[in-house]
Amino acid sequence: MSESRVPRSRRFLVCEPRHFAVQYAINPWMRPDTPVDVDLARDQWQALISAYRAHGHTVDSVDPVPGLPDMVFAANCALVLQGRVFGSSFHAPERRPESTAYETWFKTAGFDVYRPESVCEGEGDLVPTRRFVLAGTGFRTTPEAHREVQEFFGVPVIGLRLVDPHFYHLDTALFVLDDDNIAYYPEAFSPGSREVLGRLFPDAVLATREDALAFGLNSVSDGRHVFIAPRAEALADQLVTHGYVPVPVDLSELHKAGGGIKCCTQEIRS
């Protein structure tokens, strides 16, 4: 069945974890007293970049800025659709300077950038599908930002409430498999949001809590290949059953800050 799945070449924006550290705690994964191996983090990140390129994807890179240890999590910087950039406005003061660093890159690359008035953390909470944008709230991005996104892109926005602090961003609890389907962990969402997802995606791949806690849902799919945390074994087995090809990439050192594969990956959609 996997032969029927067709990959689509993507353009990704990333940032090397040269200054990666856990210096503060803004989610349950972060413990400032836990040592971080920066060399290991860079090696694991480089393995992700190599995997993307080996599967035909284009990768651009933003220069990391000293003093911004979470800048490696490029997904949080923006949502890019139809060549238009909806920037970020971070909830945590420690991360707010990242918005300017990424905005500078986008403008230098020829993009106009809209800076939201409301708290919004880019693709962390904004997950575009073929028909609409799924938008998370509850811990970071606000419902007001959802309305800004809809007005800016003219695309329907479906608000979803997150209820488990371990899944503080939508991209830790859900990812898009292809034009028509997603994978997600139901218990990360409020009852009403679970009902919405069930109606929109009746054939979705449902993950266990164990696989979600292993960052299995912080994955990137090109429509056929799914770049996924290796510890999410049950989810990977499900994906194979559904015709996808898992590509395990270990970012365990970056998990110490609450991020994984998707967190490190901003997609530039033209």
Side-chain angles (χ1 to χ4, degrees):
M1 183 184 294
S2 63
E3 294 304 320
S4 66
R5 301 288 182 189
V6 179
R8 180 171 62 83
S9 296
R10 311 296 175 101
R11 181 184 179 190
F12 297 134
L13 180 63
V14 300
C15 182
E16 179 191 356
R18 190 183 307 162
H19 309 296
F20 177 65
V22 181
Q23 298 175 342
Y24 44 79
I26 58 173
N27 65 57
W29 304 95
M30 302 179 83
R31 295 179 175 83
D33 58 343
T34 300
V36 169
D37 187 333
V38 178
D39 289 337
L40 177 57
R42 291 173 72 179
D43 288 345
Q44 291 180 341
W45 176 87
Q46 187 58 59
L48 175 63
I49 307 312
S50 297
Y52 283 153
R53 288 177 171 149
H55 287 83
H57 304 301
T58 300
V59 182
D60 294 311
S61 186
V62 175
D63 289 334
V65 176
L68 299 180
D70 281 342
M71 198 172 162
V72 62
F73 301 126
N76 305 155
C77 74
L79 172 64
V80 185
L81 285 177
Q82 302 162 350
R84 305 179 71 199
V85 181
F86 187 97
S88 60
S89 179
F90 285 92
H91 179 267
E94 295 90 343
R95 297 200 65 184
R96 289 174 190 164
E98 295 177 37
S99 298
T100 300
Y102 278 101
E103 184 174 313
T104 298
W105 185 91
F106 279 115
K107 288 182 175 179
T108 301
F111 295 89
D112 292 327
V113 180
Y114 173 83
R115 180 74 70 92
E117 298 177 5
S118 310
V119 172
C120 186
E121 302 201 352
E123 282 192 327
D125 278 319
L126 303 172
V127 178
T129 72
R130 178 172 57 87
R131 295 172 291 164
F132 39 70
V133 174
L134 299 174
T137 191
F139 298 102
R140 302 287 184 85
T141 299
T142 64
E144 291 76 17
H146 297 179
R147 290 190 281 273
E148 284 190 73
V149 170
Q150 182 164 283
E151 288 299 315
F152 182 74
F153 290 113
V155 174
V157 173
I158 309 295
L160 302 168
R161 179 162 291 276
L162 298 161
V163 296
D164 185 328
H166 285 91
F167 311 109
Y168 58 93
H169 272 157
L170 184 59
D171 73 357
T172 64
L174 176 154
F175 74 96
V176 171
L177 284 164
D178 53 37
D179 283 346
D180 300 309
N181 209 5
I182 65 170
Y184 70 101
Y185 169 52
E187 300 305 315
F189 298 91
S190 67
S193 296
R194 291 200 298 271
E195 182 73 16
V196 168
L197 288 170
R199 290 174 181 269
L200 293 175
F201 302 100
D203 300 319
V205 175
L206 303 183
T208 65
R209 182 172 181 82
E210 290 72 25
D211 281 338
L213 289 172
F215 289 85
L217 292 165
N218 196 240
S219 296
V220 170
S221 173
D222 65 13
R224 182 169 190 259
H225 309 100
V226 179
F227 303 87
I228 188 171
R231 287 180 51 233
E233 296 179 358
L235 178 57
D237 289 344
Q238 281 202 76
L239 294 176
V240 171
T241 300
H242 285 77
Y244 301 96
V245 179
V247 181
V249 182
D250 181 13
L251 293 189
S252 55
E253 200 64 17
L254 293 168
H255 293 176
K256 294 178 179 179
I261 291 169
K262 175 56 193 171
C263 288
C264 291
T265 310
Q266 166 69 224
E267 183 173 350
I268 300 176
R269 301 170 184 84
S270 57

